[in-house]
Amino acid sequence: MHLFYQIDHSQWQCLSQEEKRSAKTRMTELVQEIRSTPDTHLLTFAIATPKADLGFMLLTPDLQVANAFEKRLTLSLGPDILNACYSYLSQTEGSEYTTTTEQYIEETLLGEKGLSRDTPEFDAALKEFEDRMAHYLKHRLYPVLPDWPAICFYPMSKRRSGNDNWYSLDYKARRELMAGHARVGRTYSGRILQLITGSTGLDEYEWGVTLLAKDTIDIKHIVYEMRFDEVSARYAEFGDFYIGMQLPLDELFRRVCL
Ligand code: 76R
């Protein structure tokens, strides 16, 4: 869940110093409780513009748990203090375009690299691929996100109109297009950490895109460069963009003037 809130400062002003302190303690304790829940992560961030004041990204395997945490987060500073202004629900997922071991053997090891089966080079290259993919798939399904300062979220869909209907392309054509996309993406390794979560049937768009970076310039660069890639240029539709800065909770309170 990506959750975005605006703070009602006129309601907050009505609280006494004591009430404000205990409200912040309540939220701090809840954040600690969420973060100590198994397989659960919570990112906290301030939003860069008045589109929202603060945001949370909550990752947890059970929607019942996510739902309960989200209701409590919304009320944690007291009624009417946090007003949800945008939210997004999506699930981590593997990709249908991820290279399979069979594809890698046929296309890359036997094809491109010209290796032969049952040679030490073949075995080593295959093992390297399998280790890399195991790590990569684990990250896609059970991501642990770094505390990099810049976080960008936007939802997107693949276009379904006239001649530009992603869903009427056959699998091979889609896979080739996605391979071009991934080639661009990989050049940002170490600068951009991307998490694509699926939301078809769960929310307005088909995917949530979460990008973490050390510097917003890398976010601007990757999103710009991908606009030229056919997958985005021809087939992508985007929702609103949110830019946040990850902060520990005590700093976040100061940043948003609570
Ligand atoms: O197998 C893999 O997961 C790696 C290849 C890969 C897939 C399948 C990949 C790599 N992406 C995949 C799928 Mn991506 N991605 C986006 C956006 O703003 C835009 O134009 C698009 C938003 C960015 C910035 C981005 C970055 N990707 C997807 C999908 C699902 C499509 C489907 O299933 O139909 C979407 C919607 C999507 C969108 N992508 C990468 C990146 C980056 C940085 C990489 C390289 C990741 C790495 O190698 O670690």
Side-chain angles (χ1 to χ4, degrees):
M1 276 182 193
H2 290 75
L3 306 168
F4 300 90
Y5 296 94
Q6 253 152 1
I7 296 163
D8 188 332
H9 284 283
S10 54
Q11 290 290 335
W12 184 251
Q13 297 281 297
C14 298
L15 303 183
S16 68
Q17 284 310 321
E18 187 44 43
E19 285 169 326
K20 286 180 185 170
R21 239 194 322 275
S22 67
K24 286 190 276 186
T25 305
R26 219 170 27 242
M27 180 182 271
T28 306
E29 286 172 357
L30 176 57
V31 166
Q32 282 164 355
E33 180 189 334
I34 295 173
R35 287 185 173 151
S36 60
T37 304
D39 304 317
T40 299
H41 302 282
L42 183 72
L43 275 55
T44 54
F45 42 92
I47 302 298
T49 68
K51 265 182 186 172
D53 290 314
L54 58 87
F56 299 110
M57 179 178 177
L58 169 65
L59 294 117
T60 195
D62 185 337
L63 187 55
Q64 299 276 10
V65 174
N67 181 232
F69 282 151
E70 166 256 311
K71 298 300 173 218
R72 289 173 62 199
L73 276 170
T74 301
L75 288 171
S76 59
L77 291 176
D80 296 327
I81 306 289
L82 291 184
N83 296 314
C85 50
Y86 189 68
S87 63
Y88 206 78
L89 174 66
S90 54
Q91 294 189 327
T92 62
E93 61 179 13
S95 167
E96 63 189 292
Y97 307 109
T98 303
T99 310
T100 62
T101 303
E102 291 67 37
Q103 283 164 346
Y104 191 73
I105 291 175
E106 288 301 322
E107 292 167 14
T108 307
L109 296 184
L110 303 177
E112 252 170 66
K113 294 193 193 240
L115 299 176
S116 313
R117 282 181 200 271
D118 299 324
T119 57
E121 294 76 23
F122 178 94
D123 292 346
L126 183 58
K127 179 159 185 336
E128 191 266 326
F129 172 79
E130 284 178 330
D131 289 349
R132 181 158 52 84
M133 289 316 278
H135 180 263
Y136 179 74
L137 287 175
K138 186 158 182 262
H139 167 78
R140 265 195 89 122
L141 292 178
Y142 308 100
V144 178
L145 300 174
D147 62 354
W148 293 0
I151 176 164
C152 171
F153 173 78
Y154 54 98
M156 67 173 285
S157 294
K158 291 279 164 67
R159 186 164 293 139
R160 285 181 286 130
S161 75
N163 286 331
D164 296 338
N165 189 331
W166 177 258
Y167 294 90
S168 57
L169 297 177
D170 63 27
Y171 175 73
K172 192 166 166 289
R174 283 181 281 126
R175 185 169 171 255
E176 273 163 22
L177 286 164
M178 287 308 291
H181 163 86
R183 258 195 304 281
V184 176
R186 278 195 292 274
T187 65
Y188 287 83
S189 170
R191 284 182 292 154
I192 292 284
L193 193 138
Q194 127 275 25
L195 180 66
I196 304 299
T197 46
S199 52
T200 309
L202 302 179
D203 217 318
E204 302 300 314
Y205 287 79
E206 294 163 354
W207 290 278
V209 180
T210 304
L211 306 175
L212 294 176
K214 291 168 194 152
D215 192 323
T216 46
I217 197 77
D218 291 321
I219 291 175
K220 185 173 176 296
H221 279 158
I222 191 173
V223 176
Y224 182 72
E225 192 178 349
M226 285 198 168
R227 293 286 156 105
F228 293 95
D229 185 78
E230 197 173 352
V231 176
S232 296
R234 190 157 173 205
Y235 296 105
E237 312 258 9
F238 299 98
D240 289 343
F241 283 67
Y242 285 83
I243 291 285
M245 279 144 300
Q246 280 207 76
L247 292 171
L249 204 53
D250 53 341
E251 267 183 64
L252 180 59
F253 286 142
R254 283 196 293 278
R255 179 67 57 86
V256 299
C257 307
L258 285 177

